């Protein structure tokens, strides 16, 4: 750990030192108010629970462009004259940021860290160059790689999909990229490898052989898994569900769809889910819903933390500052026993109107504090015996007698009919939703 100040030959965030925990009374915007990494919550440190990661693409590659106008931010690392020196400067800036923020993990796509070459071998070489530099920076700063992935959606060749492209030639290009990205992930000691099926879907059902495309996707994932295992990758492969955007329909629609797909194709042993908040809401669910579905299946692998905007519904990738949402997410995560070896990656971007380098810090500090608060409150909610009773007590009729026999598969449909006929009309039992909601609010209001 050398880097209280900066990495490489330039300081990209001058005037900003290491972000410290100063507690709830602090009014320093560049300090943590709640994220106290060593504080023990529910038997583990906050760091062990939360495993925060910064994502490379939104924070260091995006400059605020949208479909209606170009970028608004002039970051110092973007003004280098050629692709390689820009990529190197960007990496140095990123590691200065990780180090000053004190975040334990980061995540990348192949071509946000490196630049695409002319042809497969040239691109592999570029990625390798950057992997070597990243390896040094990881060692210097003590930052670890949460996950790597390949960008199989930006290049025009992927306009009809990557692993689900109707053209085999395109599928092979995707395979080449995934192979190199798995190599890079392994080389950097990554804990997970992510597949987000950005264009694995369709725009027109009538010109698409969906059955064949899904079979290709499963075969592709199986071969990627086999390759990863063959070179010693023992981490988790993750699928990140998203229902739409950029495609009209994406196959990895939501948690339950992906779980069914993985089980159908015998992939559930190696793959888990990376649940993104804003993707869950795009699918018409809450963030907590998709987390719960993944956790129930034993497949909650990692989290892309962000939030959408309920008023417009698309993937706005805002930093997660909604405490209520974070509490509900952490209720699932805590109950599931955590997400390790996954983590909580801020797949979020500062707004186009947020143009100071300092805004990147403020955004991450806010997100980290929000989840730290969510964690502390969730611990209290889970420890509240009323909550246990209000949720699990409702099922007590299955704990013994005929209910238990039903769960054990010992009662036929006719047996169930006979029990109903003897018992008469069941008594009405209130679900007490308002009480549940009030108790959670009381715990939120008690503070962290
Ligand atoms: C886009 C996705 C993407 C993945 C990584 O909506 O969230 O950023 O996390 O490819
Ligand atoms: Ni997203
Ligand atoms: Ni994501």
């Amino acid at each position: 750990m050398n880097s209280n100040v900066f990495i490489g030959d330039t300081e990209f965030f001058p005037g900003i030192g290491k972000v410290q925990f100063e507690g709830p009374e602090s009014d320093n915007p560049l300090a943590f108010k709640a994220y106290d990494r060593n504080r023990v919550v529910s038997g583990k440190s906050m760091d062990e629970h939360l495993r925060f990661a910064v994502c490379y693409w939104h924070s260091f590659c995006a400059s605020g462009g949208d479909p209606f106008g170009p970028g608004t931010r002039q970051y110092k690392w973007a003004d280098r004259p050629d692709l390689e020196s820009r990529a190197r400067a960007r990496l140095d800036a990123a590691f200065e940021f990780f180090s000053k923020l004190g975040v334990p993990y980061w995540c990348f796509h192949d071509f946000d860290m490196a630049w695409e070459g002319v042809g497969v071998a040239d691109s592999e070489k570029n990625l390798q160059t950057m992997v070597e530099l990243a390896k040094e920076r990881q060692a210097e700063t003590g930052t670890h790689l949460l996950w790597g992935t390949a960008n199989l959606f930006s290049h025009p060749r992927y306009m009809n999909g990557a692993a689900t492209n109707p053209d085999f030639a395109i599928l092979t290009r995707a395979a080449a990229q995934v192979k190199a990205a798995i190599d890079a992930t392994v080389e950097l000691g990554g804990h997970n490898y992510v597949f987000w099926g950005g264009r694995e879907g369709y725009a027109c059902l009538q010109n698409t052989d969906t059955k064949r495309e899904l079979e290709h996707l499963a075969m592709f994932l199986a071969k990627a898994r086999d390759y990863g295992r063959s070179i010693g990758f023992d981490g988790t492969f993750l699928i990140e569900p998203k229902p739409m955007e950029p495609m009209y329909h994406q196959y990895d629609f939501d948690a339950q769809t992906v779980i069914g797909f993985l089980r159908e194709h015998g992939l559930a042993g190696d793959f888990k889910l990376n649940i993104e908040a804003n993707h869950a809401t795009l699918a018409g669910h809450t963030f907590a819903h998709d987390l719960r579905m993944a956790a129930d299946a034993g497949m909650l692998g990692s989290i892309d933390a962000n939030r959408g905007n309920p008023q417009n519904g698309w993937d706005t990738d805002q930093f997660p500052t909604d405490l209520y949402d974070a509490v509900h997410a952490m209720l699932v995560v805590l109950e599931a026993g955590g997400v390790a070896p996954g983590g909580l990656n801020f797949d979020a971007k500062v707004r186009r109107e947020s143009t100071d380098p300092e805004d990147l810090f403020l955004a991450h500090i806010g997100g980290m504090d929000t989840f730290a608060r969510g964690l502390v409150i969730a611990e209290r909610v889970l420890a509240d015996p009323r909550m246990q009773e209000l949720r699990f007590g409702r099922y007590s009729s299955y704990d013994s007698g005929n209910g238990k026999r039903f769960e054990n598969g010992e009662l036929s449909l006719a047996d169930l009919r006979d029990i109903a006929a003897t018992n008469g009309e069941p008594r009405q039992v209130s679900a007490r939703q308002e009480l549940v909601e009030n108790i959670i609010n009381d715990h939120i209001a008690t503070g962290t």
Side-chain angles (χ1 to χ4, degrees):
M1 225 36 200
N2 74 358
S3 42
N4 267 353
V5 186
F6 61 95
I7 317 281
D9 58 9
T10 312
E11 185 169 20
F12 292 96
F13 300 97
I16 298 179
K18 266 213 177 268
V19 178
Q20 310 284 354
F21 170 72
E22 292 184 6
E25 307 306 324
S26 167
D27 60 3
N28 174 5
L30 287 168
F32 295 116
K33 315 298 182 302
Y35 174 59
D36 180 6
R37 67 188 72 243
N38 297 317
R39 174 172 170 190
V40 175
V41 180
S42 220
K44 284 193 283 187
S45 70
M46 279 194 166
D47 249 4
E48 283 173 275
H49 280 289
L50 296 165
R51 301 170 58 84
F52 287 128
V54 170
C55 81
Y56 204 83
W57 51 104
H58 287 313
S59 291
F60 305 100
C61 304
S63 60
D66 71 13
F68 302 94
T72 51
R73 295 187 283 274
Q74 284 92 38
Y75 287 140
K76 264 205 276 177
W77 56 88
D79 66 7
R80 305 293 161 110
D82 61 278
L83 293 174
E84 177 163 356
S85 52
R86 207 174 305 157
R88 286 176 175 275
R90 192 193 290 133
L91 194 91
D92 284 345
F95 276 87
E96 180 188 328
F97 181 81
F98 304 155
S99 176
K100 286 181 167 176
L101 185 64
V103 74
Y105 296 99
W106 68 298
C107 300
F108 73 95
H109 296 84
D110 49 358
F111 298 134
D112 25 83
M113 181 165 65
W115 62 103
E116 186 146 12
V118 278
V120 171
D122 197 33
S123 292
E124 287 168 346
K125 187 169 69 48
N126 296 343
L127 183 57
Q128 198 47 44
T129 303
M130 294 309 295
V131 165
E132 268 150 42
L133 187 61
K135 220 171 164 177
E136 285 172 31
R137 298 301 182 237
Q138 286 193 160
E140 285 164 8
T141 60
T143 315
H144 300 272
L145 179 64
L146 186 67
W147 50 260
T149 189
N151 180 332
L152 305 177
F153 44 88
S154 295
H155 194 285
R157 82 169 73 88
Y158 296 122
M159 66 181 185
N160 292 308
T164 62
N165 200 294
D167 182 351
F168 174 65
I170 310 283
L171 181 144
T172 65
R173 289 301 293 259
Q177 256 186 267
V178 168
K179 178 176 175 293
I182 293 177
D183 286 339
T185 301
V186 170
E187 191 131 357
L188 291 169
H191 295 269
N192 306 272
Y193 183 86
V194 165
F195 291 90
W196 169 59
R199 294 192 195 270
E200 312 294 23
Y202 60 81
C204 172
L205 187 60
Q206 290 69 32
N207 69 6
T208 305
D209 186 341
T210 49
K211 186 170 187 326
R212 210 165 176 185
E213 290 198 1
L214 280 161
E215 279 161 5
H216 292 170
L217 179 58
M219 181 67 76
F220 187 94
L221 293 173
K223 297 304 172 190
R225 183 261 328 264
D226 293 347
Y227 177 72
R229 297 301 182 221
S230 79
I231 61 160
F233 176 65
D234 59 4
T236 314
F237 291 97
L238 297 168
I239 307 267
E240 183 176 321
K242 187 175 184 182
M244 64 192 85
E245 200 197 349
M247 300 307 274
Y248 159 76
H249 176 92
Q250 281 157 219
Y251 294 129
D252 299 330
F253 196 89
D254 62 1
Q256 285 188 286
T257 308
V258 174
I259 291 163
F261 172 83
L262 290 172
R263 288 184 173 157
E264 178 186 352
H265 296 282
L267 296 166
D270 298 275
F271 285 79
K272 288 186 172 176
L273 274 63
N274 182 36
I275 301 296
E276 178 162 321
N278 204 167
H279 296 181
T281 53
L282 269 180
H285 307 308
T286 61
F287 180 24
H289 167 91
D290 254 24
L291 291 170
R292 176 70 72 75
M293 291 303 111
D296 284 353
M299 292 168 93
L300 176 56
S302 203
I303 293 175
D304 269 9
N306 59 21
R307 74 182 158 95
N309 182 326
Q311 280 68 41
N312 56 21
W314 68 82
D315 196 10
T316 58
D317 286 332
Q318 287 165 254
F319 272 85
T321 50
D322 184 330
L323 182 56
Y324 207 73
D325 220 32
V327 169
H328 284 89
M330 291 314 295
L331 281 170
V332 181
V333 171
L334 257 188
E335 203 179 51
V339 287
L344 221 144
N345 167 50
F346 292 108
D347 196 348
K349 52 189 182 235
V350 294
R351 300 300 86 193
R352 188 168 191 264
E353 304 78 15
S354 301
T355 47
D356 291 342
E358 185 177 316
D359 292 318
L360 270 184
F361 280 90
L362 299 173
H364 284 87
I365 290 169
M368 290 161 86
D369 271 347
T370 300
F371 273 88
R373 290 181 175 121
L375 170 68
V376 171
I377 293 163
E379 181 197 33
R380 276 212 305 269
V381 172
L382 287 177
D384 189 326
R386 295 172 300 171
M387 289 297 292
Q388 299 297 311
E389 180 53 29
L390 283 162
R391 182 160 156 221
F392 299 113
R394 298 176 71 204
Y395 302 86
S396 60
S397 59
Y398 293 92
D399 289 344
S400 58
N402 283 333
K404 185 80 206 158
R405 292 178 65 210
F406 165 75
E407 282 195 346
N408 292 340
E410 292 162 17
L411 298 178
S412 69
L413 192 66
D415 293 334
L416 296 169
R417 180 257 161 221
D418 291 345
I419 294 166
T422 348
N423 284 348
E425 187 59 31
R427 78 195 159 90
Q428 193 177 51
V429 183
S430 170
R432 296 197 181 272
Q433 178 175 337
E434 294 76 10
L435 178 57
V436 168
E437 291 169 346
N438 292 351
I439 291 173
I440 294 176
N441 268 2
D442 290 345
H443 284 297
I444 290 177
T446 314
T448 54

